[in-house]
């Protein structure tokens, strides 16, 4: 039985405790090594590309940037397919790993460059790899970050995970398919609240497919998009939410029977 004032949920301390965590030298070194590895990979890809003006190469922050990037990369995609693919994958995984905003633009770019089916395969695989990379990095050094940025969400998430141990895959699918919790938070928080990696992986891989389809398909008609709001109209959001509700229904039914 817990005493008054103590935390009531797993390993998460009470908010009043205001926990502070410090990283060891080896943890910082490992995280730095991950960053260095990505940078070396990107430099190697860059060096294998033909001599040209690559001033257009930057992370897109709006649709205009994305259209410029698409127009220029189309020139290289057919002749330097491997370099473009490897560079794309490295950038996407890097952005997911370190929670850099803008992966929606990368998903649109996949549709514009590779079409629906190849683009979907590319987006789902790289998004899953990036989320997995973020999961393991967070397991190593994420605790101070998540306690400082999302203490309330963390308590809520761990409570839900503890309650749904028997139907955790369905619940994680529900989270991936609906905007209940941000995907970035899920990636960072899952190892902290003891979501097993195989559950995390399956829910991520399967749960990202519907949204990836919507985004990649929109990338084919990139020139027609006026804003990112055009991606997710009421019909698309309602469909994703319905799929999310269906994914968690078996868990709810089993609880009622119990």
């Amino acid at each position: 039985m817990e005493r008054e004032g103590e935390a009531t949920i797993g390993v998460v301390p009470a908010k009043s405790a205001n926990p502070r965590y410090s990283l060891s030298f080896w943890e910082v070194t490992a995280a730095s090594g991950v960053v260095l590895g990505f940078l070396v990979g990107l430099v190697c890809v860059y060096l294998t590309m033909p001599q040209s003006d690559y001033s257009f190469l930057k992370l897109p922050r709006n649709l205009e940037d994305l259209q410029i990037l698409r127009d220029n990369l189309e020139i290289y995609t057919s002749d330097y397919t491997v370099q473009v693919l490897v560079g794309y994958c490295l950038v996407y995984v890097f952005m997911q790993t370190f929670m850099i905003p803008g992966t929606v633009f990368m998903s649109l770019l996949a549709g514009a460059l590779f079409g629906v089916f190849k683009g979907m395969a590319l987006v789902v695989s790289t998004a899953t790899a990036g989320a997995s990379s973020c999961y393991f990095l967070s397991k190593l050094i994420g605790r101070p970050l998540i306690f400082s940025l999302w203490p309330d969400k963390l308590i809520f998430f761990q409570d839900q995970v503890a309650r749904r141990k028997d139907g955790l895959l369905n619940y994680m699918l529900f989270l991936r398919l609906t905007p209940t919790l941000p995907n970035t938070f899920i990636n960072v928080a899952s190892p902290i609240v003891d979501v097993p990696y195989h559950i995390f992986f399956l829910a991520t891989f399967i749960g990202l497919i519907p949204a990836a389809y919507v985004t990649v398909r929109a990338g084919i008609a990139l020139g027609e998009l006026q804003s990112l709001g055009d991606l997710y109209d009421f019909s698309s959001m309602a469909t994703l939410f319905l799929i999310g509700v269906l994914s968690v229904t078996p868990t709810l039914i089993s609880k009622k029977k119990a």
Side-chain angles (χ1 to χ4, degrees), residues 89-211:
C89 293
L90 281 173
V91 171
Y92 203 120
V93 173
F94 178 81
M95 293 174 71
Q96 285 276 76
T97 301
F98 295 98
M99 303 179 292
I100 299 172
T103 52
V104 64
F105 294 115
M106 298 296 291
S107 298
L108 287 167
L109 182 63
L113 293 178
F114 304 106
V116 174
F117 296 108
K118 290 181 181 178
M120 265 193 67
L122 187 61
V123 168
V124 173
S125 59
T126 51
T128 303
S132 299
S133 179
C134 185
Y135 176 99
F136 288 113
L137 187 63
S138 178
K139 194 169 188 177
L140 178 66
I141 62 169
R143 192 172 294 271
L145 177 68
I146 197 163
F147 273 108
S148 62
L149 292 180
W150 300 294
D152 295 332
K153 281 189 176 70
L154 184 63
I155 292 173
F156 168 79
F157 188 31
Q158 186 159 15
D159 180 47
Q160 294 300 309
V161 168
R163 291 181 182 183
R164 303 171 191 273
K165 286 292 185 183
D166 295 333
L168 189 55
L169 177 59
N170 296 95
Y171 177 63
M172 293 298 291
L173 275 172
F174 172 78
L175 293 181
R176 286 300 191 190
L177 290 162
T178 63
T180 307
L181 289 172
N183 278 327
T184 298
F185 170 81
I186 295 170
N187 296 343
V188 179
S190 291
I192 307 300
V193 299
D194 298 324
V195 175
Y197 176 67
H198 69 281
I199 296 289
F200 177 87
F201 175 86
L202 285 174
T204 301
F205 185 83
I206 298 171
L208 291 179
I209 292 174

Side-chain angles (χ1 to χ4, degrees), residues 58-67 69-70 73 88 91-92 95 100-113 123 215-216 218-219 222 225-229 231-232:
K58 64 177 181 178
L59 293 180
R61 294 302 179 192
N62 51 54
L63 290 176
E64 183 180 354
D65 289 345
L66 182 61
Q67 288 166 355
L69 185 61
R70 186 274 312 269
L73 283 180
Y88 178 94
V91 171
Y92 203 120
M95 293 174 71
I100 299 172
T103 52
V104 64
F105 294 115
M106 298 296 291
S107 298
L108 287 167
L109 182 63
L113 293 178
V123 168
T215 311
V216 169
L222 184 59
L225 290 177
Q226 301 298 318
S227 70
L228 291 181
L231 287 175
Y232 300 106

Side-chain angles (χ1 to χ4, degrees), residues 6 17 26 104 123 217 222 243:
E6 289 185 338
W26 294 113
V104 64
V123 168
R217 190 168 179 271
L222 184 59
I243 296 173

